[in-house]
Amino acid sequence: MNLTNEVSVVAMLKVSPKIRKLIAQEIAVGKYRSESALMTEALAALADRRAAIAGIERGLADVRVGRYRSRAAFQQSLVNRHPQLASE
């Protein structure tokens, strides 16, 4: 663990032994230089996941109120914009 001028993130949080072990393993194999780097990436991945879920929820809401196109209409709009797709 790289704790130079860094307080252990794990020490500050109440985490299960299973999570503590996973963190140690990720650092031990060199995937992350520190707990802080691992936590930073984990939180970024969580933000990405939440954004993806929000997008899916918006899409489902659109479908529920009738804001969508048929597959054929979508394909035709693609062909109109990209004629090379017509032969595929």
Side-chain angles (χ1 to χ4, degrees):
M1 280 183 232
N2 179 9
L3 299 179
T4 309
N5 296 327
E6 240 179 73
V7 175
S8 171
V9 174
V10 176
M12 292 173 33
L13 301 173
K14 291 182 181 178
V15 295
S16 70
K18 179 181 176 181
I19 298 300
R20 194 177 299 270
K21 182 179 177 182
L22 287 171
I23 292 169
Q25 287 173 341
E26 291 294 308
I27 293 169
V29 297
K31 290 184 180 178
Y32 300 94
R33 292 177 47 169
S34 67
E35 294 170 353
S36 179
L38 185 146
M39 294 297 288
T40 299
E41 186 168 324
L43 290 171
L46 179 60
D48 290 346
R49 179 176 182 229
R50 287 180 175 162
I53 290 170
I56 292 167
E57 289 171 343
R58 283 190 305 274
L60 291 172
D62 285 344
V63 168
R64 280 193 290 275
V65 297
R67 286 189 304 255
Y68 65 91
R69 294 186 281 176
S70 69
R71 179 176 177 226
F74 175 73
Q75 284 179 315
Q76 188 58 52
S77 71
L78 282 177
V79 169
N80 291 344
R81 284 184 290 167
H82 308 282
Q84 71 275 15
L85 296 176
S87 61
E88 293 179 10

